[in-house]
Every structure is written in C-alpha cells, then in structure tokens.
Amino acid sequence: MSHPLSLLVRTLPAALLALALGAPAQAERADRGKPLNVAADRQGTLDLLNQVIVFNGNVIITKGTIVIKADRVEVRESPDGYRTAVAIGGAGRPASFRQKREGVDEYIDGQAERLEYDDKADTIRFVNNAVVRRLRGASVGDEITGSLITYDNTTEVFRVSGAGGSTSAATDTPAGGRVRAVLTPREGTPAAAAASQAGAPLKASPALGDKR
C-alpha cells in the first residue's frame, strides 16, 4: 500500500498562497461547452428583466462533470450570454463543488459557506471556511484550507488567503488569518516511491498557528 508523504506549508497571516497542481492533467476540457442544469426541491423565482434565477432547497447544479450542491443558488446571465452562480450552504452543511480532471481518475473537490462560479472566467471562489482537495480515486491527494480559495479552472492554479473563517462587514470579503496546505508527491515520481518505502502514513496536519 502506498503511503504518500505529507508536507506542511507555513505562511504569514493574511498572506497569499498560489499553488499549481503540478500533474500533467487539466480540468475536464469539455465541461466549458456543456449546458448549465439546475434542479431544486422548492419553488424558485425567475426575473426575466434582469436575467436572474433563484433556486432554493437541496439545489444541484451540473455542467458536464461539474457538480455544485447548495441550499440556495442565484444564477445571473450577462448580455454576452455567460453566467455566474452564487451558491450558499445551509445550516451545518456547506456548499460543495466537484469536477473531474482530464485523462486521470482525479477530482477537484471543495466546500465552503459560499461558492461563486464565473462561467466566462472559468473560475470558482470558495468563501469562508473553505477546504479544497485533490482526490485520487477515493484517496485525498492534496488539501488546501483557507478563508478564501480561488480556483482557476483553465490554469489549475489555486490562490488562497487567510484562514480566519469570517468576513469583513465593510467589504464582505474574508478576514485575514493563516492558510494551510497538505501536499503529496505525484504518483510515479521518485519522491512518491521514497515515501512508499519509508512507510510514512499521511496524517492530518495541525493548524499552522499551533506548531512552533
């Protein structure tokens, strides 16, 4: 059984961390051209004048391999035909996002109190108590935690800011704090082989502020 090596990345409060996945795979390319489908349990509203649709209750959005789940979702369409969606989690259940990576059995899987998906920019923002993981099959490869995580679907780069877990009332953006990342070597690399031979299991890392 392979035991990946964990690496704890430390940063200063409110710092920005940019991480590329590093594997030679990309997000599922066909997803961008797929239609956006929405299903919900409760009655929604449609504002034709402003091109705004609101869905409530166990909302599920699909777009190719992309799946977004939330308690409430607001979808807006711009004059050029692109859409943005804001997904908000319910009590005790954050909004979630999942998408397959191209050509490999891997998924980007994340959750936060609020998700902001931009169809044109092909980005998604995980806002407040955000956690994003790279899943290799059923196993967790890499994990990033922060107050705000922005994922660029085209470049597969994450930008993470402090894990304060709250927002500023003045700007409605996450407050500062530390960010945390647990990274594992890519499968098939010498580093992964060394980790396997060492038999070092992947363990949950403590919060950055707890380690001296």
Side-chain angles (χ1 to χ4, degrees), residues 126-203:
F126 300 81
V127 184
N128 286 338
N129 296 314
V131 180
V132 178
R133 305 176 181 90
R134 177 160 61 108
L135 302 180
R136 295 169 176 159
S139 302
V140 177
D142 306 324
E143 179 177 296
I144 305 170
T145 303
S147 189
L148 170 63
I149 301 175
T150 301
Y151 174 50
D152 188 317
N153 212 354
T154 303
T155 62
E156 290 206 312
V157 171
F158 295 92
R159 297 191 181 277
V160 191
S161 59
S166 61
T167 59
S168 165
T171 61
D172 194 32
T173 57
R178 290 187 180 273
V179 302
R180 184 168 65 91
V182 178
L183 310 176
T184 60
R186 282 189 289 122
E187 293 181 350
T189 63
S196 177
Q197 292 174 3
L202 177 63
K203 298 180 179 180

Side-chain angles (χ1 to χ4, degrees), residues 2 12 23 29 33-34 50 68 74 141 157-159 165 171 187 209:
S2 174
L12 295 175
R29 291 188 295 268
K34 298 290 186 179
N50 296 306
I68 297 175
E74 179 180 296
V157 171
F158 295 92
R159 297 191 181 277
T171 61
E187 293 181 350

Side-chain angles (χ1 to χ4, degrees), residues 18 22 26 28 48 53 62 77 126 136 166-167 194-195 208 212:
Q26 295 180 341
E28 194 73 30
L48 292 176
I53 307 174
T62 59
E77 182 173 333
F126 300 81
R136 295 169 176 159
S166 61
T167 59
L208 293 177
R212 296 290 184 268

